[in-house]
Amino acid sequence: MPNPLPRRLDQLLSACGYCSRSEARLWVRGGRVSVNGQRAEAVDQKARAADVQVDGQPVDSPEGILILLHKPAGHVCSHDEREGPRVFDLLPARWLQRNPPVTTVGRLDKDATGALVITDRGELVHRWTSPKRHVTKLYEVTVDRDLEPGLVGVFAAGELRLDDEPKPCLPAKLAITGPRTAQLELTEGKYHQVKRMFASQGWTVLRLHRSRFGEIELGDLPVGEWRRLDLPKIA
Ligand code: URA
Protein backbone atom coordinates (compact mmCIF):
# COMPACT_ATOMS: atom_id res chain seq x y z
CA MET A 1 0.00 0.00 0.00
CA PRO A 2 1.21 3.52 -0.66
CA ASN A 3 2.15 5.23 2.55
CA PRO A 4 3.48 8.77 2.58
CA LEU A 5 3.81 8.71 6.40
CA PRO A 6 7.11 7.94 8.11
CA ARG A 7 7.51 4.21 8.62
CA ARG A 8 10.10 1.82 9.94
CA LEU A 9 12.91 1.16 7.47
CA ASP A 10 12.45 -2.62 7.69
CA GLN A 11 8.77 -2.22 6.83
CA LEU A 12 9.53 0.08 3.94
CA LEU A 13 12.27 -2.13 2.46
CA SER A 14 10.20 -5.30 2.66
CA ALA A 15 7.01 -3.63 1.32
CA CYS A 16 8.98 -2.34 -1.67
CA GLY A 17 10.51 -5.76 -2.36
CA TYR A 18 14.17 -5.17 -1.45
CA CYS A 19 14.50 -7.79 1.27
CA SER A 20 12.67 -9.41 4.17
CA ARG A 21 12.20 -7.47 7.37
CA SER A 22 14.87 -9.57 9.06
CA GLU A 23 17.34 -9.06 6.19
CA ALA A 24 16.74 -5.30 6.42
CA ARG A 25 18.87 -5.28 9.57
CA LEU A 26 21.87 -6.45 7.50
CA TRP A 27 21.15 -3.90 4.79
CA VAL A 28 21.12 -1.10 7.35
CA ARG A 29 24.21 -2.41 9.17
CA GLY A 30 25.97 -2.75 5.83
CA GLY A 31 25.41 0.94 5.12
CA ARG A 32 23.20 0.34 2.08
CA VAL A 33 20.37 2.50 3.39
CA SER A 34 20.45 6.23 3.98
CA VAL A 35 17.94 8.80 5.11
CA ASN A 36 18.29 12.36 3.80
CA GLY A 37 21.79 11.48 2.69
CA GLN A 38 22.86 10.23 6.14
CA ARG A 39 23.64 6.58 6.73
CA ALA A 40 20.60 4.97 8.45
CA GLU A 41 21.17 3.95 12.05
CA ALA A 42 18.68 1.21 12.79
CA VAL A 43 15.84 -0.73 11.17
CA ASP A 44 13.32 0.75 13.56
CA GLN A 45 14.27 4.25 12.47
CA LYS A 46 11.22 5.88 10.89
CA ALA A 47 11.44 7.81 7.64
CA ARG A 48 9.31 8.93 4.73
CA ALA A 49 9.97 6.87 1.61
CA ALA A 50 10.82 10.02 -0.32
CA ASP A 51 13.73 10.65 2.06
CA VAL A 52 15.22 7.15 1.84
CA GLN A 53 17.89 5.89 -0.57
CA VAL A 54 18.94 2.30 -1.06
CA ASP A 55 22.39 1.78 -2.54
CA GLY A 56 22.33 5.47 -3.35
CA GLN A 57 19.09 5.26 -5.35
CA PRO A 58 15.61 6.51 -4.44
CA VAL A 59 13.22 3.83 -3.15
CA ASP A 60 11.49 2.10 -6.08
CA SER A 61 7.84 3.18 -6.47
CA PRO A 62 6.90 3.55 -2.78
CA GLU A 63 3.51 4.89 -3.87
CA GLY A 64 2.71 1.69 -5.79
CA ILE A 65 3.20 0.14 -9.22
CA LEU A 66 0.87 0.67 -12.15
CA ILE A 67 2.01 -0.39 -15.59
CA LEU A 68 0.75 -1.43 -18.99
CA LEU A 69 2.42 -4.53 -20.46
CA HIS A 70 2.18 -5.65 -24.08
CA LYS A 71 1.63 -9.28 -23.25
CA PRO A 72 3.31 -11.70 -25.65
CA ALA A 73 1.71 -15.02 -26.59
CA GLY A 74 2.98 -17.91 -24.46
CA HIS A 75 3.06 -16.10 -21.12
CA VAL A 76 0.51 -16.78 -18.39
CA CYS A 77 -1.12 -14.26 -16.05
CA SER A 78 -0.75 -16.68 -13.12
CA HIS A 79 1.85 -16.42 -10.34
CA ASP A 80 2.36 -20.20 -10.59
CA GLU A 81 5.65 -21.00 -12.37
CA ARG A 82 4.40 -24.50 -13.23
CA GLU A 83 1.99 -22.99 -15.76
CA GLY A 84 4.82 -21.71 -17.97
CA PRO A 85 6.57 -18.38 -18.44
CA ARG A 86 4.73 -15.72 -16.46
CA VAL A 87 4.00 -12.16 -17.48
CA PHE A 88 5.70 -11.19 -14.22
CA ASP A 89 8.96 -12.66 -15.52
CA LEU A 90 9.04 -9.73 -17.98
CA LEU A 91 9.16 -7.21 -15.11
CA PRO A 92 11.83 -6.23 -12.56
CA ALA A 93 12.24 -9.24 -10.23
CA ARG A 94 11.89 -7.06 -7.15
CA TRP A 95 8.26 -6.30 -7.94
CA LEU A 96 7.18 -9.86 -7.17
CA GLN A 97 8.79 -9.56 -3.75
CA ARG A 98 6.73 -6.50 -2.90
CA ASN A 99 4.07 -6.72 -0.27
CA PRO A 100 1.49 -6.82 -1.70
CA PRO A 101 3.08 -8.27 -4.86
CA VAL A 102 2.16 -7.10 -8.35
CA THR A 103 -0.81 -8.78 -9.94
CA THR A 104 -2.70 -8.52 -13.22
CA VAL A 105 -5.94 -6.58 -13.53
CA GLY A 106 -8.02 -9.39 -14.99
CA ARG A 107 -6.40 -11.95 -17.25
CA LEU A 108 -5.54 -12.70 -20.84
CA ASP A 109 -5.28 -16.30 -22.02
CA LYS A 110 -1.83 -17.79 -22.54
CA ASP A 111 -2.16 -17.56 -26.33
CA ALA A 112 -3.64 -14.03 -26.28
CA THR A 113 -1.60 -10.85 -26.75
CA GLY A 114 -2.02 -7.19 -25.99
CA ALA A 115 -2.91 -4.70 -23.28
CA LEU A 116 -2.46 -6.03 -19.77
CA VAL A 117 -2.55 -3.74 -16.75
CA ILE A 118 -0.44 -4.80 -13.76
CA THR A 119 -0.47 -3.23 -10.33
CA ASP A 120 0.18 -3.81 -6.64
CA ARG A 121 -2.75 -1.58 -5.71
CA GLY A 122 -5.56 -3.91 -4.70
CA GLU A 123 -8.18 -1.19 -4.89
CA LEU A 124 -7.36 -0.63 -8.57
CA VAL A 125 -7.71 -4.33 -9.33
CA HIS A 126 -11.08 -4.25 -7.61
CA ARG A 127 -12.18 -1.09 -9.33
CA TRP A 128 -11.26 -2.24 -12.84
CA THR A 129 -12.54 -5.80 -12.54
CA SER A 130 -15.78 -5.05 -10.70
CA PRO A 131 -18.75 -6.16 -12.86
CA LYS A 132 -20.56 -3.00 -11.77
CA ARG A 133 -18.01 -0.73 -13.44
CA HIS A 134 -18.45 -2.09 -16.99
CA VAL A 135 -14.88 -1.27 -17.98
CA THR A 136 -14.69 -1.60 -21.78
CA LYS A 137 -12.15 -3.88 -23.42
CA LEU A 138 -11.43 -3.86 -27.14
CA TYR A 139 -10.29 -7.08 -28.80
CA GLU A 140 -8.96 -7.70 -32.29
CA VAL A 141 -10.03 -11.15 -33.40
CA THR A 142 -9.08 -13.46 -36.26
CA VAL A 143 -11.35 -16.44 -36.87
CA ASP A 144 -11.18 -19.65 -38.87
CA ARG A 145 -13.81 -18.91 -41.55
CA ASP A 146 -15.57 -15.96 -43.13
CA LEU A 147 -17.65 -13.87 -40.77
CA GLU A 148 -21.33 -13.16 -41.39
CA PRO A 149 -23.00 -9.76 -40.83
CA GLY A 150 -25.74 -11.40 -38.73
CA LEU A 151 -23.22 -11.93 -35.96
CA VAL A 152 -23.23 -8.19 -35.21
CA GLY A 153 -26.88 -8.36 -34.11
CA VAL A 154 -26.42 -11.61 -32.19
CA PHE A 155 -23.63 -10.08 -30.07
CA ALA A 156 -25.45 -6.73 -29.69
CA ALA A 157 -28.71 -8.26 -28.48
CA GLY A 158 -27.63 -8.98 -24.92
CA GLU A 159 -29.30 -12.38 -25.12
CA LEU A 160 -26.37 -14.64 -25.88
CA ARG A 161 -26.16 -17.25 -23.16
CA LEU A 162 -22.89 -19.15 -22.80
CA ASP A 163 -22.75 -22.65 -21.29
CA ASP A 164 -22.67 -22.70 -17.47
CA GLU A 165 -23.30 -18.94 -17.22
CA PRO A 166 -26.33 -17.86 -15.17
CA LYS A 167 -26.79 -14.62 -17.12
CA PRO A 168 -26.60 -13.79 -20.83
CA CYS A 169 -23.68 -11.73 -22.11
CA LEU A 170 -24.17 -7.99 -21.97
CA PRO A 171 -24.60 -6.32 -25.37
CA ALA A 172 -21.25 -6.30 -27.17
CA LYS A 173 -20.18 -4.24 -30.18
CA LEU A 174 -18.83 -6.25 -33.10
CA ALA A 175 -17.25 -4.47 -36.05
CA ILE A 176 -16.30 -6.73 -38.95
CA THR A 177 -13.01 -5.42 -40.36
CA GLY A 178 -12.18 -8.11 -42.93
CA PRO A 179 -13.42 -11.48 -44.16
CA ARG A 180 -12.06 -13.20 -41.05
CA THR A 181 -11.15 -10.32 -38.78
CA ALA A 182 -13.22 -8.22 -36.40
CA GLN A 183 -13.09 -5.92 -33.41
CA LEU A 184 -15.20 -6.84 -30.41
CA GLU A 185 -15.84 -4.43 -27.54
CA LEU A 186 -16.93 -6.00 -24.26
CA THR A 187 -17.98 -4.37 -21.02
CA GLU A 188 -17.55 -7.49 -18.89
CA GLY A 189 -15.02 -10.28 -18.50
CA LYS A 190 -16.47 -13.75 -18.30
CA TYR A 191 -14.02 -16.68 -18.48
CA HIS A 192 -12.66 -17.02 -22.07
CA GLN A 193 -15.52 -14.77 -23.09
CA VAL A 194 -14.43 -13.78 -26.60
CA LYS A 195 -13.55 -17.33 -27.63
CA ARG A 196 -16.75 -18.71 -26.14
CA MET A 197 -18.95 -16.07 -27.79
CA PHE A 198 -17.56 -16.92 -31.22
CA ALA A 199 -17.58 -20.65 -30.50
CA SER A 200 -21.27 -20.48 -29.55
CA GLN A 201 -21.97 -19.30 -33.11
CA GLY A 202 -19.68 -21.81 -34.84
CA TRP A 203 -16.43 -19.84 -35.24
CA THR A 204 -13.05 -20.65 -33.74
CA VAL A 205 -10.87 -17.75 -32.63
CA LEU A 206 -7.38 -18.25 -34.07
CA ARG A 207 -5.83 -15.03 -32.81
CA LEU A 208 -6.89 -12.77 -29.96
CA HIS A 209 -5.32 -9.42 -29.23
CA ARG A 210 -6.49 -6.74 -26.77
CA SER A 211 -5.79 -3.26 -28.07
CA ARG A 212 -7.50 -1.26 -25.32
CA PHE A 213 -8.33 -1.75 -21.66
CA GLY A 214 -10.75 0.91 -20.42
CA GLU A 215 -9.22 4.22 -21.50
CA ILE A 216 -5.77 2.69 -21.80
CA GLU A 217 -4.62 2.16 -25.38
CA LEU A 218 -1.79 -0.25 -26.14
CA GLY A 219 -0.61 2.06 -28.95
CA ASP A 220 2.83 1.25 -30.33
CA LEU A 221 4.22 -0.33 -27.15
CA PRO A 222 6.46 -3.15 -28.44
CA VAL A 223 5.51 -6.71 -27.60
CA GLY A 224 6.98 -7.88 -24.29
CA GLU A 225 7.63 -4.32 -23.10
CA TRP A 226 5.88 -2.23 -20.48
CA ARG A 227 5.37 1.39 -19.59
CA ARG A 228 4.31 3.11 -16.42
CA LEU A 229 0.83 4.58 -16.07
CA ASP A 230 -0.07 7.48 -13.80
CA LEU A 231 -1.59 6.27 -10.56
CA PRO A 232 -5.12 7.67 -10.26
CA LYS A 233 -5.31 10.41 -7.60
CA ILE A 234 -8.39 9.00 -5.92
CA ALA A 235 -8.42 5.23 -6.01
N1 URA B 1 -11.66 -13.54 -23.95
C1 URA B 1 -10.99 -14.68 -24.18
O1 URA B 1 -11.54 -15.64 -24.71
N2 URA B 1 -9.68 -14.73 -23.83
C2 URA B 1 -9.02 -13.68 -23.29
O2 URA B 1 -7.83 -13.79 -23.00
C3 URA B 1 -9.73 -12.49 -23.05
C4 URA B 1 -11.05 -12.45 -23.39
Side-chain angles (χ1 to χ4, degrees):
M1 270 304 269
N3 193 344
L5 300 173
R7 58 205 296 210
R8 287 173 57 117
L9 291 175
D10 52 356
Q11 283 173 353
L12 178 66
L13 293 186
S14 73
C16 292
Y18 287 92
C19 55
S20 67
R21 287 187 65 176
S22 52
E23 286 163 347
R25 192 174 297 278
L26 297 175
W27 283 51
V28 168
R29 271 203 210 132
R32 299 180 68 177
V33 186
S34 50
V35 179
N36 288 321
Q38 302 288 313
R39 187 177 163 142
E41 286 155 20
V43 281
D44 60 359
Q45 184 177 341
K46 288 190 173 175
R48 264 182 270 274
D51 298 332
V52 177
Q53 294 87 41
V54 183
D55 294 332
Q57 300 297 316
V59 174
D60 182 9
S61 311
E63 71 293 347
I65 306 271
L66 180 61
I67 61 149
L68 175 69
L69 172 73
H70 186 159
K71 179 192 173 298
H75 282 64
V76 292
C77 291
S78 162
H79 282 100
D80 188 345
E81 284 163 315
R82 292 169 301 183
E83 293 181 28
R86 304 169 303 173
V87 291
F88 307 110
D89 297 327
L90 300 166
L91 310 178
R94 187 192 298 136
W95 290 0
L96 265 187
Q97 310 305 322
R98 289 173 72 97
N99 184 18
V102 286
T103 186
T104 63
V105 179
R107 288 185 171 211
L108 282 174
D109 296 338
K110 188 171 185 175
D111 60 355
T113 59
L116 185 67
V117 175
I118 295 180
T119 186
D120 61 351
R121 298 275 295 260
E123 78 277 20
L124 294 180
V125 178
H126 184 257
R127 183 207 277 199
W128 284 328
T129 56
S130 163
K132 291 187 200 136
R133 298 270 184 170
H134 301 301
V135 172
T136 59
K137 274 100 34 181
L138 186 65
Y139 295 95
E140 318 283 333
V141 182
T142 305
V143 292
D144 62 333
R145 64 186 178 87
D146 288 3
L147 290 158
E148 289 165 14
L151 213 49
V152 175
V154 173
F155 287 175
E159 290 166 8
L160 181 63
R161 198 176 279 276
L162 302 175
D163 288 347
D164 301 325
E165 294 290 345
K167 290 186 188 164
C169 297
L170 292 172
K173 281 188 213 156
L174 181 71
I176 297 177
T177 53
R180 297 185 181 191
T181 57
Q183 289 187 326
L184 182 63
E185 189 183 74
L186 299 185
T187 58
E188 57 184 341
K190 297 186 198 300
Y191 182 65
H192 293 325
Q193 183 163 349
V194 176
K195 291 176 184 169
R196 289 164 73 207
M197 286 175 71
F198 279 95
S200 74
Q201 305 303 307
W203 278 268
T204 300
V205 171
L206 300 179
R207 180 178 173 269
L208 182 58
H209 175 81
R210 186 157 69 193
S211 53
R212 177 163 46 79
F213 180 90
E215 308 277 292
I216 306 165
E217 300 270 0
L218 188 62
D220 55 6
L221 185 65
V223 67
E225 296 197 8
W226 54 272
R227 66 177 169 85
R228 287 190 190 262
L229 301 170
D230 289 339
L231 283 161
K233 291 269 182 300
I234 306 156

